[in-house]
Amino acid sequence: LIFIVLSNMSKPMSISFFLMVFAADFVIRRPISKKSLFDKIPYILICMFFFYLIILGGKLGHPDKELYMKIQFGIGSPKLVDAELKNPPPLTYYMIKENIKYPMYVILFYFTKLLIPVKLSALYPYPPYFEIVYSHIITPIIFLLIFYSLKYTRHLFFGWFFFIFSFLTVIQIKMTGPALVADRYTYLASIGIFWGITVFLIYLFNKNKTGLFYFITVFIFIFSFYSAYKINTYRCGVWKTSINLWNDVIENYPNATTALNNRGCILLSNGYLDLAEQDFLAGLKANKYDPGLME
């Protein structure tokens, strides 16, 4: 209980922790009883208290909005302004009825990035429509397979929902910031997926399917070294300077308007007016209504 209090004080994502306690009971086949429900009450109360603080903080807002935005973007107020855009449309992507299409995409995004860490980025632009569509096909199929696995084991079900519960607060039914997805949201969540992979390897070993067991194990071993290089070594170099950071984002996602805008700000502050103008115009051409921008 002490550690969950400290966790909630450190990061708001911890408010979904009490769901993991229920999931843990499920995977060890603990019977549902008054005692098993009663011992969850302290966790629920702690998490709900911090949830209340988050809601309260959202209503109060930040005392110094201008300073907050400078911190948020790291380089000062964005310069992307469309002179003809006097009355921009409302940011409907912040509305729950509009955002209901995102959770399936968010789940599939984190799942695939965890297994195939390519085109990692400090900032991911909003996905094109076709990616939203196929996420609504693939993600439900994964859910069906997970539920089907309950015929044989509870471990895959536990791992999958541990994975989802870990980033449930940023599944984006209600927007929590200018970014739809971010790599940092899966640090804890990855345990759930690796739990499922480990249980599968143990199953192969116990069934004397040693050939397949060693093949997958060696593959994971090599892939882990590759991932460690990509995530730790390469990504640290990307963050060496602000210009390096936004160059990397734009290289992977050329239409990332916030990245174009922020790089333009850096170029402008260093006197490269023509290059800054190119970035600003490219950003406006990509999406003048990007929610990460402000006048």
Side-chain angles (χ1 to χ4, degrees), residues 35-254:
K35 185 179 185 303
S36 66
L37 294 175
F38 183 78
D39 61 24
K40 307 295 186 300
I41 292 176
Y43 295 101
I44 295 173
L45 291 177
I46 290 169
C47 291
M48 289 302 98
F49 170 73
F50 280 96
F51 178 69
Y52 167 75
L53 293 182
I54 293 169
I55 298 298
L56 184 63
K59 289 181 179 179
L60 294 176
H62 199 278
D64 190 336
K65 186 175 181 180
E66 183 179 351
L67 175 61
Y68 173 74
M69 293 308 297
K70 288 182 179 180
I71 295 170
Q72 184 84 344
F73 286 90
I75 53 170
S77 301
K79 306 295 182 182
L80 253 180
V81 179
D82 186 352
E84 299 178 359
L85 192 61
K86 296 179 180 178
N87 296 305
L91 299 179
T92 53
Y93 3 72
Y94 286 94
M95 298 167 61
I96 291 177
K97 67 178 182 180
E98 177 71 13
N99 288 347
I100 201 70
K101 66 176 180 280
Y102 289 132
M104 291 294 179
Y105 169 79
V106 171
I107 292 170
L108 185 62
F109 175 89
Y110 288 140
F111 181 61
T112 53
K113 285 293 182 187
L114 186 62
L115 297 179
I116 310 172
V118 297
K119 295 185 72 174
L120 300 178
S121 178
L123 182 147
Y124 294 97
Y126 276 68
Y129 181 72
F130 76 90
E131 291 188 13
I132 298 290
V133 172
Y134 75 65
S135 70
H136 281 74
I137 299 172
I138 298 175
T139 308
I141 291 175
I142 297 175
F143 271 95
L144 289 174
L145 292 174
I146 293 298
F147 278 101
Y148 180 76
S149 72
L150 285 172
K151 291 179 62 177
Y152 308 100
T153 178
R154 294 189 175 198
H155 288 279
L156 296 182
F157 185 91
F158 167 76
W160 179 251
F161 280 94
F162 183 99
F163 170 69
I164 294 174
F165 291 159
S166 298
F167 61 82
L168 193 62
T169 55
V170 289
I171 208 167
Q172 305 299 19
I173 293 178
K174 184 179 186 303
M175 291 296 293
T176 56
L180 184 64
V181 289
D183 295 332
R184 63 185 181 276
Y185 294 152
T186 55
Y187 295 157
L188 178 64
S190 63
I191 294 173
I193 299 301
F194 297 140
W195 178 286
I197 293 173
T198 304
V199 168
F200 178 66
L201 288 173
I202 293 171
Y203 167 79
L204 293 177
F205 187 81
N206 290 337
K207 291 293 183 179
N208 292 320
K209 297 181 179 181
T210 52
L212 186 58
F213 168 80
Y214 285 117
F215 174 79
I216 295 176
T217 302
V218 170
F219 174 79
I220 292 174
F221 186 75
I222 295 172
F223 187 76
S224 296
F225 271 96
Y226 168 77
S227 297
Y229 167 76
K230 286 287 289 184
I231 295 170
N232 296 325
T233 307
Y234 176 73
R235 297 305 299 167
C236 286
V238 166
W239 283 75
K240 187 175 182 180
T241 65
S242 295
I243 197 75
N244 280 11
L245 176 65
W246 300 120
N247 282 341
D248 179 73
V249 174
I250 295 166
E251 182 181 346
N252 288 314
Y253 302 96

Side-chain angles (χ1 to χ4, degrees), residues 257-277:
T257 51
T258 303
L260 287 163
N261 174 71
N262 288 358
R263 188 175 71 176
C265 290
I266 297 171
L267 293 170
L268 186 65
S269 64
N270 284 280
Y272 298 101
L273 304 185
D274 291 340
L275 293 176
E277 183 182 25

Side-chain angles (χ1 to χ4, degrees), residues 1 4 8 14-49 158 165:
L1 290 175
I4 194 59
N8 273 280
S14 300
I15 63 173
S16 61
F17 176 80
F18 71 93
L19 294 172
M20 298 180 195
V21 182
F22 283 101
D25 275 5
F26 176 80
V27 76
I28 64 173
R29 299 179 181 273
R30 186 183 181 192
I32 298 176
S33 63
K34 289 182 179 180
K35 185 179 185 303
S36 66
L37 294 175
F38 183 78
D39 61 24
K40 307 295 186 300
I41 292 176
Y43 295 101
I44 295 173
L45 291 177
I46 290 169
C47 291
M48 289 302 98
F49 170 73
F158 167 76
F165 291 159

